Amino acid sequence: MNILLKLKETAVSVLPVMLIVLVFGLFVVPMDGFLLGRFIIGGLFLIFGLTIFLLGVDMGIQPMGERSGAELTKRKNLWLLLGCAFLIGFIVTAAEPDIQVFGAQVKQVFSSVNKTVFTFVIAAGVGLFVMMGLLRSIINFSLKWTLLFFYTILFTFALLAKDSFIGIGFDAGGATTGPMTVPFIMALGLGVSTVRASKNDNSFGLTGIASVGPVMAVIVYSFFISDKGGQTLVEATAQTAAVTQGFYNKLMGPFRGVFPHVLKDSLLSIAPLFAMFIIFQITLLKMTKRQEIRMVIGFIYSFVGLSIFLTGVNGGFMQAGKILGELLGSRAIAGGSVWFTVLMITGLALGAIIVCAEPAVWVLSEQVESVSGGTIKRKMLLVFLSVGTAIAIGLSLWRCVKGFDIKWILIPGYLIAMVLMPFCPDLFTGIAFDSGGVASGPLTSTFILSFTIGAANACGGGNDSFGVIALVALMPLIAIQIMGIVYKIKTEKKVNAGGTNV
């Protein structure tokens, strides 16, 4: 366990975000001193929590997923494998904290939505598509043709759906890929592909396929409910601010306030996986006592780290993001093009940096570097992810101010992603669609979503904040495939140069 190395990596990712917010909060759009103090404390919680969480993933969650996928495949019982895949996808997604928060946000805007049913619909969508993703891996069917087939069906349904639910549906696809779901599903797919095939291009893509499920499920769900509005997002945010205003008198008040809820959410996230670990250990894995103890310690680390991480995000980061977005958004409306440019540049900078602090991004980048034998460098992957996320946040803020239909971005964006697939190596296509899920993790879904909600509220279009997670999930599909095409061209040049020399 190289805890100092992981601490350095997380600190390097988070500290630039803190620096940007502090510079703006002190010199550009002055913010409350207590708010900035809580932001700093929240940032420190985030760094230490993320470090401990990643250690737990390495020790417990990721090995369990790989072993389970490999052992289920060795049993050569297709129905057992597919049934377990659906169950794993459903349980892990239903317990994901991001989905609980997202369901509450949708309920605030659309009173006809039942939060429990909404959560189970999303979970069923993930479970179904995890099952189909593993089936694709077992029969060695082309990932590109699978994605093209599923997205064709998805956009056919989307054209028939209510406009108000299109952004929500694609947001659901990003919100499902949280700190617990991604490591386990990725490791499960990696374990299956290890047994079934030795080719690296079959090791990725399961998270990308699984992300289609919740979008499809929410769009189908929207056919059976009305789009009757409840509170507007502006009203709901104002009520939340009024309730929490009393906490501002004390620096640590918000952290104490969210901690019980964070513990509950973290326990709900870890408990189903731990229960599956116990069942699989008894019936399937049969690990040694030493391996068993190591995995239990890993689960404990994951629980503690996730609790600290979410306490920092909800107690400091999220509120600061909302206030900063409101301040910059109000000035963009009142101050013309200059402040609009400042808002856009801030969003681009935050988007480029904050994606590197996502827990699942680190898990993905480590797996990519490992599976590729070091030929695909983690730093290069993070650079392309950062560029893609920055563009996504910029487009989201532009939409918050101008209020145009999100379909004008989503449809061309996914068409570009599909057009790039024939020219991109299979391995990079799988990584790209997995990256689309992991980029929109808890930090993006809290700080960035709060930032865009604040900007949208200030600009008078609160509902236009839905869709930001969808755009964050879209852009890596394009960026990473472009990376793959560049990688392919450079590799071919090296091969040709070597042949000429001979």
Side-chain angles (χ1 to χ4, degrees), residues 1 5-7 9-10 47-62 179 183 298 301-302 305-306 356-364 366 378:
M1 292 191 304
L5 178 60
K6 289 192 179 295
L7 181 62
E9 290 174 345
T10 53
I47 291 171
F48 287 107
L50 182 56
T51 301
I52 298 171
F53 172 79
L54 290 174
L55 285 175
V57 169
D58 288 346
M59 294 178 64
I61 296 172
Q62 189 169 316
Y301 279 176
S302 296
L306 185 60
C356 296
E358 290 288 1
V361 168
W362 285 101
V363 175
L364 174 68
E366 288 178 354
R378 175 197 292 182

Side-chain angles (χ1 to χ4, degrees), residues 424-452:
C424 179
D426 291 346
L427 174 61
F428 281 89
T429 297
I431 295 171
F433 279 83
D434 281 354
S435 300
V438 303
S440 51
L443 198 56
T444 303
S445 300
T446 53
F447 184 85
I448 293 298
L449 182 58
S450 296
F451 181 78
T452 54

Side-chain angles (χ1 to χ4, degrees), residues 135-211:
L135 178 62
R136 179 209 70 83
S137 180
I138 291 170
I139 64 177
N140 288 323
F141 190 73
S142 168
L143 174 64
K144 293 178 179 179
W145 282 109
T146 302
L147 291 169
L148 183 62
F149 174 74
F150 284 146
Y151 274 101
T152 300
I153 296 176
L154 175 60
F155 275 98
T156 301
F157 276 93
L159 291 174
L160 302 174
K162 302 179 178 71
D163 289 342
S164 54
F165 272 85
I166 292 177
I168 293 173
F170 280 90
D171 275 355
T176 53
T177 49
M180 298 309 305
T181 309
V182 169
F184 198 89
I185 289 179
M186 285 181 59
L188 182 66
L190 204 58
V192 171
S193 64
T194 299
V195 175
R196 295 293 304 179
S198 59
K199 294 176 64 178
N200 286 344
D201 58 12
N202 206 34
S203 301
F204 296 97
L206 181 58
T207 304
I209 294 174
S211 296

